[in-house]
Amino acid sequence: MASGARAWRERIKGFGPVFGLAALCIAGTLLNGDFATVDNMMNVLTRTAFIGIIAVGMSFVIISGGIDLSVGSMAALIAGCMIFLMNRLMTGVEGVTLAPITIVVLGIAMALVLGAVFGLIHGLLITKGNIEPFIVTLGTLGIFRAFLTYLADGGALTLDGTLSDLYGPVYYTSLLGVPVPIWVFLLVAAAGALILNRTAFGRHVQAIGSNEQVARYAAIQVVRVKIITYMLVGICVGIATVLYVPRLGSATPSTGLLWELEAIAAVVVGGTALKGGEGRIIGTVIGAILLSVISNILNLTSIISVYLNAAVQGMVIIAVAFLQRGRK
């Protein structure tokens, strides 16, 4: 009976983010009638897509017992490199001029490759270099943003007008009435859930987060799994950046600022244990939407200044960490 009661308590805890999201939606509707409109919901979900995609990758890292503080700066540098490359190709290289659509495709490919490479570097430094993930990603947080600042000469990198017009539909187009970024978010989340719950790799990620030493004794390739988790979050950052660049068509030293806070908050609010070993992608998706809804309600109601959104997210992380303090 005791074990049955514990199982029910765990199930109720699992639905906590869903109950929280439902309560917020009800509160938002009561506070402002515009909240429940279809246009506002699509806007919330579209803006959630960037952080949500990154949070899916972050889930694997945190479940494995790691952390990545550099995702915002990584996204900024990838965006800057994309724009720099695409503008350079647009002017022609050694007399060779490529078609604009080819340039856009190359820019997208570069974003994904850079994300994977940056994740690989993180994974190697953490596993082979035996350095704590917090230290490695804290260091690259500054390195990535510094390189973007250098690349932009302290200002902004702006995408060529012709390329911007061609690339814009990636963010602004809708399919069956749903913006493209939302579809991409759903696909990434579905793929993440499939990998985590239905593959040996996903089970290994959870085993390493639960007890890395036991995982080693069980013949799990801990080093390889950890490296892949950081590559996954890097690729997710690349995908999010591919969707973000056509939105504004520029990259500045402030691009992606505090994205790491939002991604980590989405993961922990969704129920993933900060100590690793436990988590669900669907929870991360709900956590990302929940945080966006909080921000949207603050914007619509002016209960507090919109400049305090990050403070609210920080308090949410602390509150969830407090509630998780007894979890193994």
Side-chain angles (χ1 to χ4, degrees):
M1 291 179 64
S3 61
R6 283 196 297 270
W8 275 107
R9 283 198 296 270
E10 289 301 320
R11 290 181 183 179
I12 293 173
K13 286 181 181 179
F15 283 104
V18 178
F19 296 147
L21 179 59
L24 279 173
C25 289
I26 293 171
T29 303
L30 294 175
L31 291 170
N32 192 310
D34 293 332
F35 174 81
T37 62
V38 173
D39 287 343
N40 186 58
M41 290 295 100
M42 289 296 105
N43 179 57
V44 169
L45 291 175
T46 301
R47 293 179 178 274
T48 302
F50 307 122
I51 299 303
I53 290 170
I54 296 173
V56 169
M58 185 72 77
S59 295
F60 285 90
V61 170
I62 293 180
I63 291 172
S64 71
I67 195 75
D68 191 337
L69 303 177
S70 72
V71 292
S73 298
M74 187 190 299
L77 179 56
I78 291 175
C81 290
M82 280 183 68
I83 294 172
F84 183 84
L85 173 68
M86 293 164 72
N87 287 346
R88 184 71 181 86
L89 292 175
M90 193 64 181
T91 60
V93 179
E94 296 182 356
V96 178
T97 303
L98 300 175
I101 185 64
T102 303
I103 294 174
V104 170
V105 171
L106 288 175
I108 292 172
M110 179 188 186
L112 301 179
V113 171
L114 277 179
V117 169
F118 290 153
L120 175 62
I121 292 171
H122 283 158
L124 290 174
L125 287 173
I126 291 165
T127 57
K128 300 295 186 178
N130 198 28
I131 308 173
E132 288 294 325
F134 179 89
I135 300 301
V136 170
T137 57
L138 182 63
T140 54
L141 178 153
I143 292 170
F144 292 153
R145 201 167 293 280
F147 269 106
L148 171 64
T149 304
Y150 171 78
L151 198 63
D153 198 22
L157 287 168
T158 303
L159 190 62
D160 176 86
T162 301
L163 294 174
S164 183
D165 292 338
L166 181 63
Y167 194 7
V170 171
Y171 176 80
Y172 292 104
T173 298
S174 295
L175 180 63
L176 301 177
V178 178
V180 169
I182 298 177
W183 285 113
V184 176
F185 178 28
L186 291 175
L187 288 174
V188 170
L194 182 65
I195 293 171
L196 183 64
N197 300 322
R198 301 295 182 183
T199 68
F201 172 78
R203 292 190 292 273
H204 292 171
V205 168
Q206 297 176 67
I208 291 170
S210 296
N211 192 315
E212 183 174 326
Q213 196 60 44
V214 172
R216 291 182 187 276
Y217 290 147
I220 292 175
Q221 300 295 321
V222 173
V223 170
R224 184 176 65 182
V225 171
K226 282 189 172 184
I227 290 174
I228 293 175
T229 61
Y230 283 96
M231 291 182 69
L232 280 177
V233 74
I235 292 171
C236 286
V237 171
I239 294 172
T241 306
V242 165
L243 297 174
Y244 180 82
V245 168
R247 179 189 175 200
L248 299 176
S250 66
T252 69
S254 63
T255 296
L257 197 63
L258 295 180
W259 280 14
E260 55 279 344
L261 172 65
E262 296 180 52
I264 293 171
V267 175
V268 298
V269 168
T272 296
L274 282 168
K275 295 180 180 180
E278 180 184 350
R280 295 182 302 167
I281 299 299
I282 184 61
T284 295
V285 171
I286 294 171
I289 296 173
L290 188 149
L291 291 173
S292 291
V293 167
I294 291 175
S295 178
N296 185 249
I297 291 174
L298 294 178
N299 290 335
L300 290 176
T301 60
S302 300
I303 296 175
I304 62 173
S305 171
V306 294
Y307 300 115
L308 292 175
N309 283 355
V312 172
Q313 292 169 350
M315 288 188 287
V316 168
I317 292 177
I318 293 172
V320 173
F322 178 78
L323 294 173
Q324 288 187 0
R325 67 193 186 282
R327 293 170 66 173
K328 300 297 184 182

